[in-house]
Amino acid sequence: MTRPSIDLFSGGGDTGRLMAGLDWTRTPLGPVDGWPQSLRVAVRLVLSSRYPMLLLWGEEFSQLYNDAYSTLIGDKHPAALGGDVRVTLAEGWDVLAPLIQQAMTTGVASWVPALRLLLERAGYREEAYFNVSHAPARDDDGRTVGVFTVCSEVTEQVVGERRLRLLRDLSVLGDGRTVDVDATGARLIETIGGHPLDVPFAAIYLRDGASLRRLARTGGGQGTLPDTVDLADPGPVAHAWGLPDAAEGRPAQVSDVTDRMTLPAGAWDDPVHTALALPLPSGDEDQPLGVLLAGVSPSRRLDEAYRSFHQLLAQQASLALRNAQEHEEERRRIEALAELDRVKTDFFANVSHEFRTPLTLMLGPLADALTDTTAPLAAVQRERVETAWRNATRLLTLVNSLLTFSSLEAGRARSDARTVDLSALTAELAGVFRAAVERAGLALEVVCPPLPRPVTIDPVNWERIVTNLLSNALKYTFIGRIRVSLDADDEEVRLTVADTGIGIAEQDLPKLFERFHRVRGTRSRSHEGTGIGLALVNELARLEGGEVRVTSRVGVGSTFTVVLPWSATRRSAVADPPAERRGDAARAAVQEAAGWLAEASDNPTEPEHTSGPAADELAGARILVADDNTDMRAYLSRLLTGQGWRVRAVTDGRQALDEVHRERPDLVLTDVMMPVLDGFDLLRRLRADPATRALPVLVLSARAGGEASVEGLGLGADDYLVKPFAAAELIARIRAAIRRARDRHDPVGTWTGDTPPAHAGAVAAVPEPTAEDGGTAVGVATGRSDGGASTRDAAVADRDGTGDVLDTNWTYPSAPTSAALMRGDVRRTLRDLAVDPDVLEDLLLAASEAVNNAVEHAQRPSRPEVRVRVQVGDGLVRISVRDFGTWRDRRPAMDRGRGALLMNAYGDVRLVSTTAGTTVTIERRLDDPA
């Protein structure tokens, strides 16, 4: 080859060097020296371009191209140089031929974006996409003898955009609009089935316990994929598809799909050879949600991009399924809550109905007793019966409210509409409250002019609406006025109840009509109530076809407006007589409000001279009672003055705190739920003040349960008693609390007999019964491992040197909680002495068992008390526990079988029993931690 021929291909890179070395004489183009100038120019143009270019020349479409083009045809290069393009690209010639022919015949260039071609350039029939331009190539005479082809491959862009569309379509399914898991799986597969070029077939398996359940599938013949897979014993078919591995979080590749399924797919309908079994991610990495089995297109190489696409596919499917599961679980929770709500509503209704019978049998005889002129009640008995009648009436009102609300909640409530004079009815109901409002020092304004037309409404429901709104206004208004007005226009009737009360914060307004919602920390006349009053107003207004609106400003007041469209008041009236008498609900509400308005007496209630036990060391004790319920204050005052105690009663925690600072009582007896300052806040403030830190506080509450008592005791209450309580238990607990408090001030006392000392600084103790008292030693413990137990007469214990260092005692109520109180008192008493910590813990454990035994064994005690005495001296600690009942053996089933064993293990134990009680004495040396 001559030098000019070689120079033609210089600068053409690797392809140019190959062209320079090619024997062109064996091609249709002939020797390079004979090439026309136009061909030479075209070759130089192609080789000098960095863009993929192909020159087709002559009738045989001989190929001349550059380096950039050589990479596009893969392993067809370099054999394609000088060869016929119809042979090189035979698989795609049916697509290229029309474009080339058009350029040669018309002489006009063409441009085709994303032209799909079948290529066999990498060992398989590949789906490829190119942007292609064909332009005519002319010879020296200007004739079109070839075609310039400029192209760029866009396969990755086209395929990538197509896959992104699928992922985007799947992401839409994860928005929670489909809440059923099976339906979501079907929609996922349907969407995947719309993209067969990337996913020829697919199946979704969901974990169901110890198995996989196929939700849905697309592509492939029926029966080729298992419906279920037992993960404990998957079987060969499941293993062949890689399902068990994927179910454990390990992706699996299946390379022999054609052995189990013949599925033409891809751009050229070639059989699918490969599939991927991919875990569906879940919150638990070790246990995927399920498996996505997806086919791989035979027209695309399974490269990293394709694998990443499948991973994203699995993630999107998993997200949609998890959202569906969560929504399904949420729906089940809502259904369960709705069912629970329905059951609760039915329960309220049933229980409320059941309450009516005993309430009838309570109210009837009580009313008969109060109105009986033939056998009138004495003044004291009348006061007691009136208290019972008032509270039974209040209970009936609460029951009626619960019945009404449960009917509304269950959708069973109805409106017995009657044609009424709404103005007169509203004015009448408001008038029932006038005396109570004026007693509270407020003004009641009633502005109810006649309406232009009659109104058809349920008068009982209207009474409840007006009554609850007025009760609410009276409860939270302390100065100013309450205004009730009724007006109308062409569209609606409006009832407005406005007050100048404390107002409601803006953030609380949205929840105001929710049942049981209460605004915390607000001042009110009473803390009593169910929390359903405003919710009932809202539901009743809706039942009558109207609505309730509220506006409020803190410190200014609140305005509630009940709006009834005229259209809702034009109903057919019923002819049946009303089920309830008009005014009953209003009168009951006023009666309850009267209890809020009753002020506590400024003077303490003095005991009668004959009240209380004779020779009681607690006679004249001062008790401060704090409770917002008038009847409860009166009852507690009567009960406590009967013990010879001076009682002062107040209505809230703030008044109690002021009274404590004015005149310190011996004990504070407080309710928890009170206005202004509740019982727990009162307790916090008393314990925070050094002057009142040791003041005994006994908490009374209707809040039953361990959490309430733990909260009260944790704040420093000396005791916690749940309503209803037994009077005897309350008195015993008060006595024990006062005695403990006095003992803390003066712990040194002498235990000389059953009669306690007169001085207030010590609490009386009772000596151990002795043989001289007629007692019999019924048990002597010798169970210590060191053999140090000794048997001594009980009288010796009182005559030795024990007690020289410390001798103190306490009295506790005969109740299960006393052991805990005792441990605290003994621990505080001994912690300042040089008592070995192990010895102290052993003694506390043994003493706890002794107290528990005293509570459980004492039968018909003369005093409902347990007395504990601690003596320290002569190197010994002695704890004595005494009850005041006769001995009662427990049944074997009740005996825990460890009390005596524990006491014997931790000290020398002696037990002496008499007809007056039983005393257990536990001794331990101070220097003996063993």
Side-chain angles (χ1 to χ4, degrees), residues 590-804:
V590 169
Q591 188 178 73
E592 181 179 356
W596 309 337
L597 302 172
E599 294 292 337
S601 173
D602 291 335
N603 299 316
T605 306
E606 298 289 347
E608 299 179 7
H609 294 295
T610 58
S611 298
D616 189 345
E617 84 277 13
L618 301 184
R622 297 183 300 276
I623 311 295
L624 176 62
V625 174
D627 199 301
D628 61 337
N629 184 284
T630 303
D631 286 332
M632 182 59 72
R633 291 197 303 272
Y635 170 69
L636 291 173
S637 296
R638 287 197 305 271
L639 180 64
L640 301 182
T641 54
Q643 297 297 308
W645 300 331
R646 300 174 67 243
V647 179
R648 182 180 292 278
V650 296
T651 60
D652 59 61
R654 169 59 66 188
Q655 293 181 19
L657 198 62
D658 294 341
E659 188 62 32
V660 167
H661 291 146
R662 189 180 71 82
E663 182 181 9
R664 180 188 175 96
D666 292 291
L667 179 138
V668 175
L669 181 63
T670 179
D671 188 21
V672 172
M673 310 295 284
M674 296 186 295
V676 185
L677 190 71
D678 67 28
F680 284 163
D681 284 336
L682 169 63
L683 184 57
R684 289 188 185 94
R685 298 194 184 191
L686 290 175
R687 293 297 178 251
D689 186 348
T692 58
R693 185 170 297 158
L695 178 63
V697 178
L698 196 154
V699 176
L700 290 177
S701 177
R703 294 172 57 189
E707 291 184 2
S709 60
V710 167
E711 182 179 2
L713 295 173
L715 289 172
D718 292 75
D719 210 339
Y720 189 100
L721 193 58
V722 177
K723 301 175 185 176
F725 51 81
E729 182 181 5
L730 174 63
I731 291 170
R733 289 180 183 236
I734 290 175
R735 286 181 176 276
I738 295 176
R739 283 170 176 158
R740 286 196 302 271
R742 290 183 176 180
D743 186 69
R744 283 195 293 267
H745 283 87
D746 184 8
V748 179
T750 306
W751 201 346
T752 60
D754 287 348
T755 303
H759 66 280
V763 180
V766 177
E768 302 171 11
T770 65
E772 290 86 342
D773 297 327
T776 303
V778 299
V780 178
T782 58
R784 292 183 58 192
S785 58
D786 61 0
S790 62
T791 303
R792 291 181 294 174
D793 189 272
V796 177
D798 288 331
R799 291 193 294 267
D800 59 20
T802 306
D804 293 344

Side-chain angles (χ1 to χ4, degrees), residues 107-125:
V108 178
S110 64
W111 166 256
V112 180
L115 177 68
R116 187 171 74 178
L117 285 178
L118 169 61
L119 289 181
E120 295 184 16
R121 57 181 176 177
Y124 66 96
R125 290 158 55 85

Side-chain angles (χ1 to χ4, degrees), residues 435-665:
V437 171
E438 291 177 351
R439 183 178 177 185
L442 305 174
L444 177 63
E445 299 177 8
V446 181
V447 182
C448 297
L451 298 178
R453 67 192 81 161
V455 173
T456 304
I457 197 173
D458 187 334
V460 175
N461 289 344
W462 187 254
E463 179 179 347
R464 289 173 178 152
I465 290 172
V466 175
T467 296
N468 276 290
L469 290 178
L470 276 169
S471 295
N472 196 68
L474 178 57
K475 191 173 186 178
Y476 294 101
T477 303
F478 295 88
I479 57 172
R481 63 182 176 83
I482 298 174
R483 189 174 193 273
V484 181
S485 62
L486 191 71
D487 66 293
D489 55 24
D490 293 338
E491 296 181 355
E492 58 192 23
V493 180
R494 291 179 295 273
L495 166 69
T496 302
V497 178
D499 62 60
T500 57
I502 60 173
I504 305 164
E506 185 177 354
Q507 65 268 21
D508 290 313
L509 291 177
K511 296 183 177 181
L512 200 58
F513 296 109
E514 293 182 4
R515 56 181 177 174
F516 311 123
H517 174 72
R518 283 187 164 188
V519 180
R520 295 186 179 274
T522 57
R523 181 188 178 197
S524 64
R525 296 187 183 275
S526 172
H527 207 284
E528 295 179 339
T530 58
I532 64 173
L534 291 179
L536 192 60
V537 168
N538 185 50
E539 293 295 332
L540 288 173
R542 291 171 58 187
L543 182 64
E544 296 298 326
E547 63 175 345
V548 185
R549 303 166 186 165
V550 60
T551 59
S552 185
R553 288 178 58 194
V554 175
V556 177
S558 304
T559 300
F560 289 84
T561 305
V562 180
V563 178
L564 293 175
W566 280 113
S567 58
T569 65
R570 297 169 185 164
R571 294 177 285 167
S572 299
V574 298
D576 298 335
E580 299 183 32
R581 294 184 304 167
R582 180 183 298 181
D584 283 353
R587 283 187 288 272
V590 169
Q591 188 178 73
E592 181 179 356
W596 309 337
L597 302 172
E599 294 292 337
S601 173
D602 291 335
N603 299 316
T605 306
E606 298 289 347
E608 299 179 7
H609 294 295
T610 58
S611 298
D616 189 345
E617 84 277 13
L618 301 184
R622 297 183 300 276
I623 311 295
L624 176 62
V625 174
D627 199 301
D628 61 337
N629 184 284
T630 303
D631 286 332
M632 182 59 72
R633 291 197 303 272
Y635 170 69
L636 291 173
S637 296
R638 287 197 305 271
L639 180 64
L640 301 182
T641 54
Q643 297 297 308
W645 300 331
R646 300 174 67 243
V647 179
R648 182 180 292 278
V650 296
T651 60
D652 59 61
R654 169 59 66 188
Q655 293 181 19
L657 198 62
D658 294 341
E659 188 62 32
V660 167
H661 291 146
R662 189 180 71 82
E663 182 181 9
R664 180 188 175 96

Side-chain angles (χ1 to χ4, degrees), residues 219-369:
Q222 293 295 327
T224 55
L225 298 177
D227 294 329
T228 60
V229 177
D230 184 355
L231 294 176
D233 185 17
V237 176
H239 274 297
W241 287 107
L243 297 175
D245 288 339
E248 294 180 2
R250 299 187 300 272
Q253 180 172 326
V254 182
S255 301
D256 53 356
V257 172
T258 52
D259 294 344
R260 281 170 294 281
M261 176 195 306
T262 302
L263 177 63
W268 321 118
D269 288 334
D270 296 320
V272 177
H273 295 277
T274 306
L276 296 176
L278 302 171
L280 294 175
S282 69
D284 185 355
E285 295 181 359
D286 297 330
Q287 191 176 69
L289 185 67
V291 176
L292 172 65
L293 183 62
V296 176
S297 171
S299 304
R300 294 296 304 160
R301 183 168 60 92
L302 186 56
D303 53 13
E304 283 302 314
Y306 205 178
R307 289 182 184 275
S308 297
F309 162 72
H310 278 94
Q311 291 289 347
L312 292 173
L313 195 68
Q315 291 175 12
Q316 289 288 12
S318 174
L319 177 62
L321 290 169
R322 278 186 290 168
N323 285 345
Q325 281 185 334
E326 290 172 2
H327 281 276
E328 203 169 62
E329 291 172 1
E330 181 66 21
R331 187 179 71 248
R332 284 196 293 265
R333 282 194 295 269
I334 291 173
E335 291 172 353
L337 288 173
E339 176 63 17
L340 180 63
D341 197 54
R342 186 193 63 77
V343 171
K344 180 182 66 178
T345 301
D346 289 344
F347 170 77
F348 276 136
N350 295 335
V351 169
S352 299
H353 277 294
E354 290 300 316
F355 280 162
R356 285 179 177 271
T357 298
L359 279 171
T360 301
L361 296 175
M362 290 166 59
L363 286 167
L366 290 173
D368 293 342

